[in-house]
PDB file of all heavy atoms in Angstrom:
ATOM      1  N   MET B  70     -59.542 -35.963  48.914  1.00  0.00           N
ATOM      2  CA  MET B  70     -60.140 -35.491  47.667  1.00  0.00           C
ATOM      3  C   MET B  70     -59.816 -34.017  47.421  1.00  0.00           C
ATOM      4  O   MET B  70     -59.489 -33.608  46.309  1.00  0.00           O
ATOM      5  CB  MET B  70     -61.654 -35.685  47.768  1.00  0.00           C
ATOM      6  CG  MET B  70     -62.354 -35.263  46.520  1.00  0.00           C
ATOM      7  SD  MET B  70     -64.112 -35.415  46.656  1.00  0.00           S
ATOM      8  CE  MET B  70     -64.488 -34.359  47.994  1.00  0.00           C
ATOM      9  N   THR B  95     -44.002 -19.850  21.125  1.00  0.00           N
ATOM     10  CA  THR B  95     -44.921 -20.537  20.223  1.00  0.00           C
ATOM     11  C   THR B  95     -46.054 -21.220  20.961  1.00  0.00           C
ATOM     12  O   THR B  95     -47.071 -21.549  20.374  1.00  0.00           O
ATOM     13  CB  THR B  95     -44.176 -21.609  19.416  1.00  0.00           C
ATOM     14  OG1 THR B  95     -43.381 -22.359  20.354  1.00  0.00           O
ATOM     15  CG2 THR B  95     -43.263 -20.960  18.396  1.00  0.00           C
ATOM     16  N   PRO B 242     -28.809  -2.005  47.673  1.00  0.00           N
ATOM     17  CA  PRO B 242     -27.582  -2.633  47.181  1.00  0.00           C
ATOM     18  C   PRO B 242     -27.756  -3.489  45.944  1.00  0.00           C
ATOM     19  O   PRO B 242     -26.802  -3.698  45.214  1.00  0.00           O
ATOM     20  CB  PRO B 242     -27.114  -3.482  48.374  1.00  0.00           C
ATOM     21  CG  PRO B 242     -28.307  -3.645  49.227  1.00  0.00           C
ATOM     22  CD  PRO B 242     -29.190  -2.479  49.001  1.00  0.00           C
ATOM     23  N   ILE B 274     -30.534  13.492  40.946  1.00  0.00           N
ATOM     24  CA  ILE B 274     -29.171  13.619  40.403  1.00  0.00           C
ATOM     25  C   ILE B 274     -28.148  13.140  41.426  1.00  0.00           C
ATOM     26  O   ILE B 274     -27.178  12.462  41.104  1.00  0.00           O
ATOM     27  CB  ILE B 274     -28.908  15.071  39.985  1.00  0.00           C
ATOM     28  CG1 ILE B 274     -29.863  15.443  38.864  1.00  0.00           C
ATOM     29  CG2 ILE B 274     -27.488  15.227  39.515  1.00  0.00           C
ATOM     30  CD1 ILE B 274     -29.675  16.813  38.342  1.00  0.00           C
ATOM     31  N   ALA B 434     -14.036  27.844   7.330  1.00  0.00           N
ATOM     32  CA  ALA B 434     -14.480  27.272   6.056  1.00  0.00           C
ATOM     33  C   ALA B 434     -13.311  26.620   5.332  1.00  0.00           C
ATOM     34  O   ALA B 434     -13.471  25.579   4.691  1.00  0.00           O
ATOM     35  CB  ALA B 434     -15.094  28.370   5.185  1.00  0.00           C
ATOM     36  N   TYR B 450     -26.380  16.612  -2.321  1.00  0.00           N
ATOM     37  CA  TYR B 450     -27.474  17.521  -2.641  1.00  0.00           C
ATOM     38  C   TYR B 450     -28.099  17.160  -3.976  1.00  0.00           C
ATOM     39  O   TYR B 450     -29.313  17.232  -4.153  1.00  0.00           O
ATOM     40  CB  TYR B 450     -26.943  18.948  -2.651  1.00  0.00           C
ATOM     41  CG  TYR B 450     -27.906  19.979  -3.177  1.00  0.00           C
ATOM     42  CD1 TYR B 450     -29.183  20.091  -2.665  1.00  0.00           C
ATOM     43  CD2 TYR B 450     -27.529  20.840  -4.187  1.00  0.00           C
ATOM     44  CE1 TYR B 450     -30.057  21.041  -3.153  1.00  0.00           C
ATOM     45  CE2 TYR B 450     -28.403  21.783  -4.665  1.00  0.00           C
ATOM     46  CZ  TYR B 450     -29.661  21.880  -4.152  1.00  0.00           C
ATOM     47  OH  TYR B 450     -30.522  22.807  -4.644  1.00  0.00           O
ATOM     48  N   LEU B 492     -23.668  27.631  -8.502  1.00  0.00           N
ATOM     49  CA  LEU B 492     -22.542  28.141  -9.301  1.00  0.00           C
ATOM     50  C   LEU B 492     -22.397  29.640  -9.118  1.00  0.00           C
ATOM     51  O   LEU B 492     -21.283  30.171  -9.045  1.00  0.00           O
ATOM     52  CB  LEU B 492     -22.801  27.819 -10.771  1.00  0.00           C
ATOM     53  CG  LEU B 492     -21.621  27.980 -11.709  1.00  0.00           C
ATOM     54  CD1 LEU B 492     -20.508  27.070 -11.291  1.00  0.00           C
ATOM     55  CD2 LEU B 492     -22.064  27.660 -13.117  1.00  0.00           C
ATOM     56  N   LYS B 520     -11.355  28.712 -18.263  1.00  0.00           N
ATOM     57  CA  LYS B 520     -12.068  28.128 -19.393  1.00  0.00           C
ATOM     58  C   LYS B 520     -13.498  27.837 -19.000  1.00  0.00           C
ATOM     59  O   LYS B 520     -14.463  28.166 -19.718  1.00  0.00           O
ATOM     60  CB  LYS B 520     -11.351  26.845 -19.791  1.00  0.00           C
ATOM     61  CG  LYS B 520     -11.885  26.160 -20.991  1.00  0.00           C
ATOM     62  CD  LYS B 520     -10.839  25.142 -21.430  1.00  0.00           C
ATOM     63  CE  LYS B 520     -11.242  24.222 -22.478  1.00  0.00           C
ATOM     64  NZ  LYS B 520     -12.159  24.266 -23.392  1.00  0.00           N
ATOM     65  N   ASN B 568      -3.849  34.159 -46.867  1.00  0.00           N
ATOM     66  CA  ASN B 568      -3.085  33.732 -48.041  1.00  0.00           C
ATOM     67  C   ASN B 568      -1.617  33.803 -47.700  1.00  0.00           C
ATOM     68  O   ASN B 568      -1.109  34.872 -47.358  1.00  0.00           O
ATOM     69  CB  ASN B 568      -3.330  34.685 -49.230  1.00  0.00           C
ATOM     70  CG  ASN B 568      -4.782  34.708 -49.598  1.00  0.00           C
ATOM     71  OD1 ASN B 568      -5.405  33.652 -49.621  1.00  0.00           O
ATOM     72  ND2 ASN B 568      -5.322  35.879 -49.879  1.00  0.00           N
TER      73      ASN B 568
END
Side-chain angles (χ1 to χ4, degrees):
Chain B
M70 182 183 60
T95 48
I274 297 182
Y450 171 53
L492 193 60
K520 184 165 171 22
N568 300 318

